[in-house]
Amino acid sequence: MIGLPDLKTPLLWVLGLGLVAALATAGIERTRAAVARADLASEKRDRAEEVSARNRVALADALRYSEKMAVHAAAQQGLTHALAQETAARLAAERSNGQLAAGLRDAFAAFAARDREEAPAHAAGPRDRGDRPGAVDGLFGEAGELLARSADLQEEARSIVARRDSEVKALKAQVEADRALCAP
């Protein structure tokens, strides 16, 4: 008898080959998925490093800016203190000058009043004429002191103007520093 060929054996071979092919395909896909996961993890790590680097740069910039702000605030405070001291000194000098001028005005007014009272007596007798030039000389001496003080005050005013000029220059420099601080 001629037998029919055994179909089980080739079918088993085909099924075995199909199973091997499926396992090989699954292995290849698993390998691709593992490579893709590794690439994704590497990409995530690279992004995290970039974000970390950006954050470090931002923190360094913030620290530099805060140091600049501290230096700027200290300079502003020093400038304000210096201006306040100079203003107080100028006001004290102005008050002193006002008091000196008021004193001289009072002295001249007193002399004029005394002169008006003594004028008839001076006209009556020659003995008091010696006192009048002494009083006039005293007033002229006070006037000379006033002129000397006036010259000193002019020199002080020049000094104040020079200081103000230097302060204006310093303020301009401060404005430039402020602009540089605020520049992007």
Side-chain angles (χ1 to χ4, degrees):
M1 170 177 261
I2 295 187
L4 290 171
D6 189 13
L7 291 177
K8 287 184 188 178
T9 303
L11 186 61
L12 284 175
W13 277 103
V14 169
L15 285 175
L17 284 177
L19 182 63
V20 168
L23 287 175
T25 304
I28 291 171
E29 289 304 313
R30 284 187 82 190
T31 303
R32 282 186 191 166
V35 168
R37 280 193 301 273
D39 288 345
L40 182 61
S42 175
E43 186 67 26
K44 283 182 179 179
R45 187 183 69 245
D46 290 345
R47 294 290 173 240
E49 287 175 0
E50 286 176 11
V51 167
S52 177
R54 273 191 239 123
N55 288 341
R56 279 193 303 274
V57 168
L59 179 61
D61 285 346
L63 289 174
R64 246 188 331 269
Y65 184 73
S66 67
E67 288 172 357
K68 283 182 181 180
M69 289 301 293
V71 168
H72 180 265
Q76 287 296 102
Q77 186 177 13
L79 183 59
T80 302
H81 180 69
L83 288 174
Q85 283 184 331
E86 193 165 326
T87 301
R90 192 177 72 254
L91 290 175
E94 288 172 3
R95 266 188 250 114
S96 173
N97 293 342
Q99 290 170 352
L100 178 64
L104 287 175
R105 278 193 304 269
D106 292 344
F108 279 121
F111 175 75
R114 196 173 55 240
D115 190 44
R116 279 191 295 274
E117 291 173 2
E118 294 175 357
H122 286 296
R127 67 183 192 318
D128 289 335
R129 287 190 182 198
D131 293 339
R132 189 170 182 185
V136 171
D137 287 340
L139 287 175
F140 280 130
E142 289 178 23
E145 289 174 15
L146 178 61
L147 289 175
R149 178 69 177 141
S150 173
D152 291 342
L153 291 175
Q154 287 176 351
E155 187 59 37
E156 186 177 337
R158 284 187 197 101
S159 173
I160 288 172
V161 168
R163 279 187 302 228
R164 289 294 175 201
D165 288 345
S166 65
E167 287 174 4
V168 166
K169 288 177 187 175
L171 287 172
K172 284 181 179 179
Q174 186 65 43
V175 166
E176 291 300 319
D178 291 348
R179 286 182 180 160
L181 182 67
C182 295

